[in-house]
Amino acid sequence: MSELVWLIPLLPLIGFIINGLGRNTFSKGMIGAVGSAVVLISFVCSCILFSEVYQARQAGQAGIIEQHVFDWIAVGNLKIGLSFLVDPLSAIMLLIVTGIGFLIHVYSIGYMHHDIGFGKFFSYLNLFIFFMLLLVLGSNYLVMFIGWEGVGLCSYLLIGFWYKNTSYTNAAKKAFVMNRIGDLGFLLAVFLILGTFGSLEFSTVFPAAKNFAVGDITVVSITILLFIAATGKSAQIPLFTWLPDAMAGPTPVSALIHAATMVTAGIYMIARSNILFILSPFTLQLITVIAICTALLAAAIALTQNDIKKVLAYSTVSQLGYMFLGLGVGAFTGAFFHVLTHAFFKALLFLGAGSVIHGMSEEQDMRKMGGLKSAMPITYLTMLMGTIAISGIPPFSGFFSKDEILAGAFTSSPVLWGLGFIGALMTAFYMFRMLFMTFFGTFRGTEEQRHHLHESPKSMTTPLIVLSVLSVIGGVINLPAVLGGNHWLEDFLAPVFSEGKAIMPATHHLEHSTEYLLMAVSVVGVLIMVALAFNKYVKRQKSPEEGEGTRSFLANLSYNKFYVDELYDSIIVRPINWLSAFMGNVVDQRGIDGLVNGAGKVTFDTGKVLRLLQNGNVGFYLLMMVIGVIAIFIYGLLSL
């Protein structure tokens, strides 16, 4: 059934064209049906392909499907085609993108029903799905790069969807610019890969990479450039500040782009290029350091935020840090496992937050919520499932994926495990803080909001229920042996990571007793954080203080996001603005324009003087002629 491959990205593209052209003529029902149907059919095709790959893996084969669509670039010996690759890694990513993408499309039918840009919104969503599928399916770095750039464009369009709000358009521009910084790294990496290997095809580059020595400067350069690209797309230090601001977009955008798909593109790209990164231990160490710093910084900021979407945004940044931590310590399967489970529970949490905002008449401040569980029981129960999952409480999915990353960190360095454990404790606290402030206690909003409170329509709650089920059971796909599992996901992905593991330095496996101890410590610590959050925000019903003067120094730093944006503004934005003003006002206007305009003025003034000689007086012309003749005669005499 390999002929289905090209249909998977084509269908969302067709949906984009149909809804884009008919956005002002089709009914909202038809637009929603078309936009959702094309993604659903892509999901069905993805399931068929996944089944084919799964059966091949069961038979002991690699399970790789390649499809060449057409020759794209042919210059001399360079031949680059538009071709697709479906293997165990991309097969699972297809299910994530199309499956969760379909649920978010269905959710958007209810959430965006009253928006005048309904058709345009669905066309943008379909276009995003197309580019994301192109990124996942590409069999070479150029096709991946086209998808990479495409999702960046769609992110800009969707974040700034409500473009009449200046702050929203500024957030969109910020996301676009910061992603372009990372994208430059990707582009340079593509050029370096092409110059080094003579090809951009994964099937050519990865086998050839095995001939390079570990730590080769060329491979190190390539991987650093690819990691720079990943820091932009997957919001790692220092290119992470765009993602919290991206919450300006509609909530379905936050769920689709900034939780389940686009922000995981960097993890997917590094996992796909795992052999290059294993050949570069320095880059892996750099990834590890950046990852743990990102996870802790974002978690610390989330502790004091009051905007429900901002809490989830910084949570996403922190969880992405955990995924990169897994990549940095060589736990590629664990990192991808967390991509999968995170897609379930974070999409659920964002959509749940959207349901709360919808019920609260667009209110996002948790200080004005409280006591919503009776008015919104389905939203409450599903968000409770997502909160338990992301906090790492067994037997929910997040426990197993986060535990695998922390176990990999422990084998690398107990210090890394300790730092990751601190991040997990903060995650549990700020997530249950969000849950308790939103759904427990007494209602703190206005009477108008109280009157408007209601459960969301079925088009919004049904995706929540499906995602909550996945958040509960998702961890079973990679149960560790210590808990009676067989590491199904690790075995399924083995062909993708086998070449890299062959050259990876051997790491010792944890004893079962050590694994049990680490799990127990993690669970007990998380439960203590939950109890502390319950005591503070339910039992004592303590809300965040309004005034900054009542906060401690550290809490104030957290509330102000450690002034990272202000720092960037001082050391980057303002100097660039000053330089731009200097170049514009001094160099351009006074220098270049002054030179050009000065030359014109000199010419004009000279002409004004010389034109006096052309006054139409014949006698004056005869006099000047005589003077000229005499001057020539004198010159002739003097030259003898």
Side-chain angles (χ1 to χ4, degrees), residues 102-160:
F102 169 68
L103 293 175
I104 292 173
H105 275 71
V106 173
Y107 178 95
S108 299
I109 294 174
Y111 190 87
M112 299 294 292
H113 182 72
H114 299 293
D115 197 284
I116 59 174
F118 188 86
K120 182 172 67 172
F121 181 78
F122 268 83
S123 67
Y124 286 169
L125 282 186
N126 282 164
L127 183 63
F128 171 81
I129 294 291
F130 163 72
F131 279 121
M132 191 67 203
L133 291 172
L134 205 63
L135 187 157
V136 169
L137 283 170
S139 70
N140 57 64
Y141 281 105
L142 187 57
V143 176
M144 179 186 281
F145 181 71
I146 299 302
W148 188 278
E149 289 294 290
V151 294
L153 168 64
C154 293
S155 174
Y156 168 77
L157 295 174
L158 287 165
I159 294 169

Short mmCIF file of all heavy atoms in Angstrom, two decimals, residues 102-160:
data_model
loop_
_atom_site.label_atom_id
_atom_site.label_comp_id
_atom_site.label_asym_id
_atom_site.label_seq_id
_atom_site.Cartn_x
_atom_site.Cartn_y
_atom_site.Cartn_z
N PHE A 102 -6.59 15.77 13.66
CA PHE A 102 -8.02 15.60 13.40
C PHE A 102 -8.86 15.99 14.62
O PHE A 102 -9.87 16.69 14.50
CB PHE A 102 -8.32 14.14 13.02
CG PHE A 102 -9.79 13.81 13.00
CD1 PHE A 102 -10.62 14.35 12.05
CD2 PHE A 102 -10.33 12.95 13.96
CE1 PHE A 102 -11.98 14.05 12.04
CE2 PHE A 102 -11.67 12.65 13.96
CZ PHE A 102 -12.51 13.20 12.99
N LEU A 103 -8.44 15.56 15.82
CA LEU A 103 -9.18 15.90 17.03
C LEU A 103 -9.23 17.41 17.24
O LEU A 103 -10.26 17.97 17.64
CB LEU A 103 -8.54 15.22 18.24
CG LEU A 103 -8.63 13.69 18.30
CD1 LEU A 103 -7.85 13.16 19.49
CD2 LEU A 103 -10.08 13.24 18.36
N ILE A 104 -8.13 18.09 16.94
CA ILE A 104 -8.09 19.54 17.12
C ILE A 104 -8.95 20.24 16.06
O ILE A 104 -9.57 21.27 16.34
CB ILE A 104 -6.63 20.03 17.08
CG1 ILE A 104 -5.89 19.51 18.33
CG2 ILE A 104 -6.55 21.54 17.01
CD1 ILE A 104 -4.41 19.77 18.34
N HIS A 105 -9.01 19.68 14.86
CA HIS A 105 -9.91 20.24 13.85
C HIS A 105 -11.36 20.14 14.31
O HIS A 105 -12.14 21.09 14.16
CB HIS A 105 -9.73 19.50 12.51
CG HIS A 105 -8.62 20.03 11.67
ND1 HIS A 105 -7.29 19.86 11.99
CD2 HIS A 105 -8.63 20.74 10.51
CE1 HIS A 105 -6.53 20.42 11.07
NE2 HIS A 105 -7.32 20.97 10.16
N VAL A 106 -11.73 18.98 14.87
CA VAL A 106 -13.10 18.80 15.36
C VAL A 106 -13.38 19.78 16.50
O VAL A 106 -14.44 20.43 16.55
CB VAL A 106 -13.32 17.35 15.83
CG1 VAL A 106 -14.68 17.20 16.51
CG2 VAL A 106 -13.21 16.38 14.65
N TYR A 107 -12.43 19.91 17.41
CA TYR A 107 -12.57 20.84 18.52
C TYR A 107 -12.75 22.28 18.02
O TYR A 107 -13.55 23.04 18.56
CB TYR A 107 -11.32 20.73 19.39
CG TYR A 107 -11.25 21.66 20.58
CD1 TYR A 107 -11.67 21.24 21.84
CD2 TYR A 107 -10.73 22.94 20.46
CE1 TYR A 107 -11.58 22.07 22.94
CE2 TYR A 107 -10.65 23.79 21.55
CZ TYR A 107 -11.06 23.34 22.79
OH TYR A 107 -10.97 24.18 23.88
N SER A 108 -12.03 22.62 16.95
CA SER A 108 -12.07 23.99 16.43
C SER A 108 -13.43 24.34 15.85
O SER A 108 -13.79 25.52 15.79
CB SER A 108 -10.99 24.18 15.35
OG SER A 108 -9.70 23.96 15.88
N ILE A 109 -14.19 23.33 15.41
CA ILE A 109 -15.52 23.61 14.86
C ILE A 109 -16.38 24.30 15.91
O ILE A 109 -17.11 25.25 15.62
CB ILE A 109 -16.18 22.30 14.38
CG1 ILE A 109 -15.41 21.73 13.19
CG2 ILE A 109 -17.65 22.55 13.99
CD1 ILE A 109 -15.90 20.36 12.73
N GLY A 110 -16.28 23.82 17.16
CA GLY A 110 -17.05 24.45 18.23
C GLY A 110 -16.38 25.70 18.77
O GLY A 110 -17.06 26.71 19.01
N TYR A 111 -15.06 25.65 18.93
CA TYR A 111 -14.35 26.77 19.56
C TYR A 111 -14.39 28.03 18.69
O TYR A 111 -14.53 29.14 19.20
CB TYR A 111 -12.91 26.36 19.84
CG TYR A 111 -12.16 27.35 20.71
CD1 TYR A 111 -12.22 27.27 22.09
CD2 TYR A 111 -11.38 28.35 20.14
CE1 TYR A 111 -11.54 28.17 22.89
CE2 TYR A 111 -10.70 29.26 20.93
CZ TYR A 111 -10.78 29.17 22.30
OH TYR A 111 -10.11 30.07 23.09
N MET A 112 -14.24 27.86 17.38
CA MET A 112 -14.15 29.02 16.47
C MET A 112 -15.46 29.31 15.75
O MET A 112 -15.48 30.09 14.80
CB MET A 112 -13.04 28.76 15.43
CG MET A 112 -11.66 28.56 16.01
SD MET A 112 -10.99 30.04 16.80
CE MET A 112 -10.75 31.10 15.38
N HIS A 113 -16.55 28.70 16.21
CA HIS A 113 -17.81 28.78 15.46
C HIS A 113 -18.28 30.22 15.25
O HIS A 113 -18.83 30.55 14.20
CB HIS A 113 -18.90 27.98 16.18
CG HIS A 113 -20.21 27.97 15.45
ND1 HIS A 113 -20.39 27.24 14.28
CD2 HIS A 113 -21.40 28.59 15.69
CE1 HIS A 113 -21.62 27.41 13.85
NE2 HIS A 113 -22.26 28.22 14.68
N HIS A 114 -18.06 31.09 16.21
CA HIS A 114 -18.57 32.46 16.12
C HIS A 114 -17.54 33.43 15.52
O HIS A 114 -17.81 34.63 15.44
CB HIS A 114 -18.99 32.96 17.50
CG HIS A 114 -20.09 32.14 18.13
ND1 HIS A 114 -21.36 32.10 17.62
CD2 HIS A 114 -20.08 31.32 19.20
CE1 HIS A 114 -22.11 31.31 18.35
NE2 HIS A 114 -21.37 30.81 19.32
N ASP A 115 -16.39 32.92 15.10
CA ASP A 115 -15.35 33.80 14.56
C ASP A 115 -15.62 34.07 13.08
O ASP A 115 -15.92 33.16 12.31
CB ASP A 115 -13.97 33.17 14.75
CG ASP A 115 -12.84 34.17 14.60
OD1 ASP A 115 -12.54 34.55 13.46
OD2 ASP A 115 -12.27 34.58 15.62
N ILE A 116 -15.47 35.32 12.68
CA ILE A 116 -15.74 35.67 11.29
C ILE A 116 -14.69 35.11 10.34
O ILE A 116 -14.93 35.00 9.13
CB ILE A 116 -15.84 37.20 11.10
CG1 ILE A 116 -14.53 37.88 11.53
CG2 ILE A 116 -17.02 37.77 11.87
CD1 ILE A 116 -14.51 39.38 11.24
N GLY A 117 -13.53 34.75 10.86
CA GLY A 117 -12.47 34.19 10.02
C GLY A 117 -12.45 32.67 10.05
O GLY A 117 -11.39 32.06 9.86
N PHE A 118 -13.61 32.04 10.25
CA PHE A 118 -13.71 30.59 10.41
C PHE A 118 -13.08 29.85 9.23
O PHE A 118 -12.28 28.94 9.41
CB PHE A 118 -15.19 30.21 10.55
CG PHE A 118 -15.44 28.77 10.90
CD1 PHE A 118 -15.45 28.34 12.22
CD2 PHE A 118 -15.69 27.84 9.90
CE1 PHE A 118 -15.69 27.02 12.54
CE2 PHE A 118 -15.94 26.52 10.20
CZ PHE A 118 -15.94 26.10 11.54
N GLY A 119 -13.44 30.23 8.01
CA GLY A 119 -12.91 29.55 6.83
C GLY A 119 -11.41 29.72 6.69
O GLY A 119 -10.69 28.77 6.35
N LYS A 120 -10.95 30.94 6.91
CA LYS A 120 -9.51 31.20 6.82
C LYS A 120 -8.74 30.39 7.86
O LYS A 120 -7.66 29.85 7.59
CB LYS A 120 -9.24 32.70 7.01
CG LYS A 120 -7.79 33.09 6.87
CD LYS A 120 -7.63 34.60 6.88
CE LYS A 120 -7.98 35.20 8.22
NZ LYS A 120 -7.65 36.66 8.28
N PHE A 121 -9.31 30.29 9.07
CA PHE A 121 -8.66 29.54 10.14
C PHE A 121 -8.48 28.07 9.75
O PHE A 121 -7.40 27.50 9.92
CB PHE A 121 -9.49 29.65 11.42
CG PHE A 121 -8.89 28.94 12.60
CD1 PHE A 121 -7.84 29.50 13.31
CD2 PHE A 121 -9.37 27.70 12.99
CE1 PHE A 121 -7.28 28.85 14.39
CE2 PHE A 121 -8.81 27.03 14.08
CZ PHE A 121 -7.77 27.62 14.78
N PHE A 122 -9.51 27.46 9.20
CA PHE A 122 -9.42 26.06 8.82
C PHE A 122 -8.47 25.85 7.64
O PHE A 122 -7.78 24.83 7.56
CB PHE A 122 -10.82 25.49 8.51
CG PHE A 122 -11.47 24.87 9.70
CD1 PHE A 122 -12.16 25.66 10.61
CD2 PHE A 122 -11.39 23.51 9.93
CE1 PHE A 122 -12.75 25.09 11.73
CE2 PHE A 122 -11.98 22.94 11.04
CZ PHE A 122 -12.67 23.73 11.96
N SER A 123 -8.44 26.80 6.74
CA SER A 123 -7.49 26.67 5.62
C SER A 123 -6.06 26.74 6.14
O SER A 123 -5.19 25.98 5.68
CB SER A 123 -7.76 27.75 4.57
OG SER A 123 -7.47 29.05 5.08
N TYR A 124 -5.79 27.60 7.11
CA TYR A 124 -4.45 27.68 7.70
C TYR A 124 -4.10 26.39 8.44
O TYR A 124 -2.96 25.91 8.37
CB TYR A 124 -4.37 28.86 8.67
CG TYR A 124 -4.32 30.22 8.03
CD1 TYR A 124 -4.48 31.38 8.80
CD2 TYR A 124 -4.13 30.39 6.66
CE1 TYR A 124 -4.44 32.65 8.23
CE2 TYR A 124 -4.09 31.64 6.08
CZ TYR A 124 -4.25 32.77 6.88
OH TYR A 124 -4.21 34.02 6.30
N LEU A 125 -5.08 25.84 9.18
CA LEU A 125 -4.82 24.58 9.88
C LEU A 125 -4.47 23.47 8.90
O LEU A 125 -3.53 22.69 9.13
CB LEU A 125 -6.04 24.17 10.71
CG LEU A 125 -6.31 24.87 12.04
CD1 LEU A 125 -7.49 24.20 12.74
CD2 LEU A 125 -5.10 24.86 12.95
N ASN A 126 -5.22 23.37 7.82
CA ASN A 126 -4.93 22.35 6.80
C ASN A 126 -3.55 22.54 6.19
O ASN A 126 -2.82 21.57 5.95
CB ASN A 126 -5.99 22.38 5.70
CG ASN A 126 -7.29 21.70 6.09
OD1 ASN A 126 -8.32 21.88 5.45
ND2 ASN A 126 -7.27 20.92 7.15
N LEU A 127 -3.19 23.80 5.93
CA LEU A 127 -1.87 24.07 5.35
C LEU A 127 -0.77 23.69 6.33
O LEU A 127 0.26 23.13 5.93
CB LEU A 127 -1.76 25.56 4.99
CG LEU A 127 -0.45 25.97 4.30
CD1 LEU A 127 -0.31 25.27 2.95
CD2 LEU A 127 -0.38 27.48 4.12
N PHE A 128 -0.99 23.95 7.61
CA PHE A 128 0.00 23.56 8.60
C PHE A 128 0.18 22.04 8.62
O PHE A 128 1.31 21.53 8.66
CB PHE A 128 -0.41 24.03 10.00
CG PHE A 128 0.45 23.46 11.09
CD1 PHE A 128 1.67 24.02 11.38
CD2 PHE A 128 0.06 22.33 11.79
CE1 PHE A 128 2.49 23.48 12.35
CE2 PHE A 128 0.87 21.77 12.76
CZ PHE A 128 2.07 22.35 13.05
N ILE A 129 -0.93 21.29 8.60
CA ILE A 129 -0.84 19.83 8.59
C ILE A 129 -0.06 19.35 7.37
O ILE A 129 0.77 18.44 7.46
CB ILE A 129 -2.25 19.21 8.61
CG1 ILE A 129 -2.96 19.52 9.93
CG2 ILE A 129 -2.17 17.70 8.40
CD1 ILE A 129 -2.39 18.83 11.14
N PHE A 130 -0.30 19.98 6.22
CA PHE A 130 0.43 19.61 4.99
C PHE A 130 1.93 19.77 5.18
O PHE A 130 2.72 18.85 4.88
CB PHE A 130 -0.05 20.46 3.82
CG PHE A 130 0.88 20.47 2.64
CD1 PHE A 130 1.02 19.35 1.84
CD2 PHE A 130 1.65 21.59 2.34
CE1 PHE A 130 1.89 19.34 0.75
CE2 PHE A 130 2.51 21.60 1.26
CZ PHE A 130 2.64 20.46 0.47
N PHE A 131 2.36 20.93 5.67
CA PHE A 131 3.79 21.16 5.82
C PHE A 131 4.40 20.27 6.90
O PHE A 131 5.54 19.80 6.77
CB PHE A 131 4.05 22.63 6.14
CG PHE A 131 4.04 23.53 4.93
CD1 PHE A 131 3.15 24.59 4.83
CD2 PHE A 131 4.93 23.31 3.89
CE1 PHE A 131 3.14 25.41 3.72
CE2 PHE A 131 4.94 24.14 2.77
CZ PHE A 131 4.04 25.18 2.68
N MET A 132 3.65 20.02 7.98
CA MET A 132 4.17 19.14 9.02
C MET A 132 4.35 17.72 8.50
O MET A 132 5.34 17.05 8.83
CB MET A 132 3.22 19.16 10.23
CG MET A 132 3.79 18.48 11.47
SD MET A 132 5.21 19.37 12.15
CE MET A 132 6.04 18.04 13.05
N LEU A 133 3.42 17.26 7.69
CA LEU A 133 3.55 15.93 7.09
C LEU A 133 4.72 15.88 6.11
O LEU A 133 5.41 14.86 6.00
CB LEU A 133 2.24 15.55 6.39
CG LEU A 133 1.05 15.28 7.32
CD1 LEU A 133 -0.23 15.10 6.51
CD2 LEU A 133 1.31 14.06 8.19
N LEU A 134 4.94 16.98 5.40
CA LEU A 134 6.07 17.05 4.49
C LEU A 134 7.38 16.95 5.27
O LEU A 134 8.32 16.25 4.86
CB LEU A 134 6.02 18.37 3.71
CG LEU A 134 6.73 18.42 2.35
CD1 LEU A 134 6.08 17.45 1.39
CD2 LEU A 134 6.65 19.83 1.78
N LEU A 135 7.43 17.63 6.41
CA LEU A 135 8.62 17.58 7.28
C LEU A 135 8.88 16.15 7.75
O LEU A 135 10.02 15.67 7.74
CB LEU A 135 8.41 18.51 8.47
CG LEU A 135 9.56 18.76 9.44
CD1 LEU A 135 9.34 20.10 10.16
CD2 LEU A 135 9.73 17.67 10.48
N VAL A 136 7.83 15.47 8.15
CA VAL A 136 7.96 14.12 8.72
C VAL A 136 8.29 13.09 7.64
O VAL A 136 9.08 12.17 7.87
CB VAL A 136 6.67 13.73 9.46
CG1 VAL A 136 6.67 12.26 9.82
CG2 VAL A 136 6.49 14.59 10.70
N LEU A 137 7.69 13.26 6.46
CA LEU A 137 7.82 12.24 5.41
C LEU A 137 9.06 12.40 4.54
O LEU A 137 9.45 11.45 3.85
CB LEU A 137 6.58 12.26 4.50
CG LEU A 137 5.31 11.62 5.06
CD1 LEU A 137 4.12 11.93 4.15
CD2 LEU A 137 5.49 10.12 5.20
N GLY A 138 9.68 13.56 4.53
CA GLY A 138 10.80 13.80 3.63
C GLY A 138 11.91 12.77 3.79
O GLY A 138 12.31 12.44 4.90
N SER A 139 12.41 12.28 2.66
CA SER A 139 13.49 11.30 2.71
C SER A 139 14.86 11.96 2.60
O SER A 139 15.88 11.27 2.53
CB SER A 139 13.34 10.28 1.58
OG SER A 139 13.60 10.89 0.32
N ASN A 140 14.89 13.28 2.54
CA ASN A 140 16.16 14.00 2.49
C ASN A 140 16.00 15.31 3.24
O ASN A 140 14.89 15.73 3.59
CB ASN A 140 16.61 14.24 1.05
CG ASN A 140 15.59 15.00 0.23
OD1 ASN A 140 15.28 16.16 0.51
ND2 ASN A 140 15.04 14.35 -0.80
N TYR A 141 17.13 15.94 3.50
CA TYR A 141 17.12 17.16 4.31
C TYR A 141 16.45 18.33 3.61
O TYR A 141 15.94 19.23 4.28
CB TYR A 141 18.55 17.53 4.70
CG TYR A 141 19.10 16.72 5.84
CD1 TYR A 141 20.03 15.72 5.62
CD2 TYR A 141 18.67 16.94 7.15
CE1 TYR A 141 20.53 14.96 6.67
CE2 TYR A 141 19.17 16.20 8.21
CZ TYR A 141 20.09 15.21 7.96
OH TYR A 141 20.57 14.46 9.01
N LEU A 142 16.43 18.34 2.28
CA LEU A 142 15.82 19.47 1.58
C LEU A 142 14.30 19.43 1.71
O LEU A 142 13.67 20.46 1.98
CB LEU A 142 16.23 19.48 0.11
CG LEU A 142 15.77 20.70 -0.69
CD1 LEU A 142 16.29 21.99 -0.05
CD2 LEU A 142 16.24 20.63 -2.13
N VAL A 143 13.70 18.25 1.53
CA VAL A 143 12.25 18.14 1.71
C VAL A 143 11.88 18.43 3.16
O VAL A 143 10.89 19.12 3.45
CB VAL A 143 11.76 16.74 1.30
CG1 VAL A 143 10.27 16.59 1.57
CG2 VAL A 143 12.05 16.47 -0.18
N MET A 144 12.70 17.95 4.10
CA MET A 144 12.47 18.25 5.51
C MET A 144 12.54 19.76 5.74
O MET A 144 11.72 20.31 6.49
CB MET A 144 13.49 17.54 6.39
CG MET A 144 13.33 17.83 7.88
SD MET A 144 14.64 17.13 8.91
CE MET A 144 14.10 15.43 9.01
N PHE A 145 13.49 20.42 5.09
CA PHE A 145 13.65 21.86 5.28
C PHE A 145 12.45 22.63 4.73
O PHE A 145 12.02 23.63 5.31
CB PHE A 145 14.93 22.33 4.59
CG PHE A 145 15.20 23.81 4.74
CD1 PHE A 145 15.57 24.33 5.96
CD2 PHE A 145 15.06 24.67 3.66
CE1 PHE A 145 15.81 25.70 6.11
CE2 PHE A 145 15.30 26.03 3.79
CZ PHE A 145 15.67 26.54 5.02
N ILE A 146 11.90 22.17 3.60
CA ILE A 146 10.70 22.83 3.05
C ILE A 146 9.55 22.73 4.05
O ILE A 146 8.85 23.72 4.33
CB ILE A 146 10.31 22.20 1.71
CG1 ILE A 146 11.43 22.37 0.68
CG2 ILE A 146 9.01 22.84 1.19
CD1 ILE A 146 11.83 23.79 0.40
N GLY A 147 9.35 21.55 4.60
CA GLY A 147 8.32 21.39 5.63
C GLY A 147 8.63 22.21 6.86
O GLY A 147 7.72 22.81 7.47
N TRP A 148 9.89 22.26 7.23
CA TRP A 148 10.35 23.04 8.40
C TRP A 148 10.00 24.51 8.24
O TRP A 148 9.49 25.15 9.17
CB TRP A 148 11.85 22.84 8.51
CG TRP A 148 12.53 23.37 9.72
CD1 TRP A 148 12.94 24.64 9.95
CD2 TRP A 148 12.92 22.61 10.89
NE1 TRP A 148 13.56 24.73 11.16
CE2 TRP A 148 13.57 23.51 11.76
CE3 TRP A 148 12.80 21.28 11.27
CZ2 TRP A 148 14.09 23.11 13.00
CZ3 TRP A 148 13.32 20.89 12.49
CH2 TRP A 148 13.95 21.79 13.34
N GLU A 149 10.28 25.06 7.07
CA GLU A 149 9.97 26.46 6.80
C GLU A 149 8.46 26.68 6.71
O GLU A 149 7.94 27.71 7.15
CB GLU A 149 10.63 26.91 5.50
CG GLU A 149 12.13 27.05 5.58
CD GLU A 149 12.54 28.17 6.51
OE1 GLU A 149 12.32 29.35 6.18
OE2 GLU A 149 13.04 27.87 7.60
N GLY A 150 7.77 25.70 6.14
CA GLY A 150 6.33 25.83 5.97
C GLY A 150 5.58 25.91 7.30
O GLY A 150 4.68 26.74 7.47
N VAL A 151 5.97 25.06 8.25
CA VAL A 151 5.29 25.12 9.55
C VAL A 151 5.61 26.43 10.27
O VAL A 151 4.79 26.95 11.04
CB VAL A 151 5.64 23.91 10.44
CG1 VAL A 151 5.10 22.62 9.84
CG2 VAL A 151 7.13 23.80 10.70
N GLY A 152 6.80 26.99 10.01
CA GLY A 152 7.13 28.29 10.58
C GLY A 152 6.23 29.38 10.02
O GLY A 152 5.76 30.26 10.74
N LEU A 153 5.98 29.32 8.71
CA LEU A 153 5.08 30.28 8.08
C LEU A 153 3.66 30.15 8.65
O LEU A 153 3.03 31.15 9.01
CB LEU A 153 5.05 30.05 6.57
CG LEU A 153 3.95 30.79 5.79
CD1 LEU A 153 4.14 32.29 5.88
CD2 LEU A 153 3.92 30.32 4.34
N CYS A 154 3.17 28.92 8.74
CA CYS A 154 1.81 28.71 9.25
C CYS A 154 1.71 29.13 10.71
O CYS A 154 0.67 29.63 11.15
CB CYS A 154 1.41 27.24 9.10
SG CYS A 154 1.24 26.73 7.38
N SER A 155 2.78 28.92 11.46
CA SER A 155 2.79 29.36 12.86
C SER A 155 2.61 30.87 12.92
O SER A 155 1.82 31.38 13.73
CB SER A 155 4.11 28.96 13.52
OG SER A 155 4.20 29.49 14.82
N TYR A 156 3.30 31.59 12.07
CA TYR A 156 3.16 33.06 12.02
C TYR A 156 1.72 33.46 11.68
O TYR A 156 1.15 34.35 12.32
CB TYR A 156 4.13 33.61 10.97
CG TYR A 156 3.89 35.05 10.60
CD1 TYR A 156 4.28 36.08 11.44
CD2 TYR A 156 3.25 35.38 9.41
CE1 TYR A 156 4.05 37.41 11.10
CE2 TYR A 156 3.02 36.70 9.06
CZ TYR A 156 3.43 37.70 9.91
OH TYR A 156 3.19 39.01 9.57
N LEU A 157 1.14 32.79 10.70
CA LEU A 157 -0.22 33.13 10.29
C LEU A 157 -1.24 32.83 11.38
O LEU A 157 -2.20 33.59 11.58
CB LEU A 157 -0.59 32.34 9.02
CG LEU A 157 0.21 32.67 7.76
CD1 LEU A 157 -0.15 31.72 6.63
CD2 LEU A 157 -0.03 34.12 7.32
N LEU A 158 -1.04 31.73 12.11
CA LEU A 158 -2.02 31.31 13.11
C LEU A 158 -1.85 32.06 14.43
O LEU A 158 -2.84 32.37 15.10
CB LEU A 158 -1.92 29.80 13.33
CG LEU A 158 -2.48 28.95 12.17
CD1 LEU A 158 -2.03 27.51 12.29
CD2 LEU A 158 -3.99 29.03 12.12
N ILE A 159 -0.61 32.35 14.82
CA ILE A 159 -0.40 33.12 16.05
C ILE A 159 -0.99 34.52 15.89
O ILE A 159 -1.62 35.06 16.80
CB ILE A 159 1.09 33.20 16.40
CG1 ILE A 159 1.63 31.81 16.76
CG2 ILE A 159 1.34 34.17 17.57
CD1 ILE A 159 3.14 31.74 16.86
N GLY A 160 -0.78 35.11 14.73
CA GLY A 160 -1.31 36.45 14.48
C GLY A 160 -2.66 36.42 13.79
O GLY A 160 -3.00 37.37 13.07
#
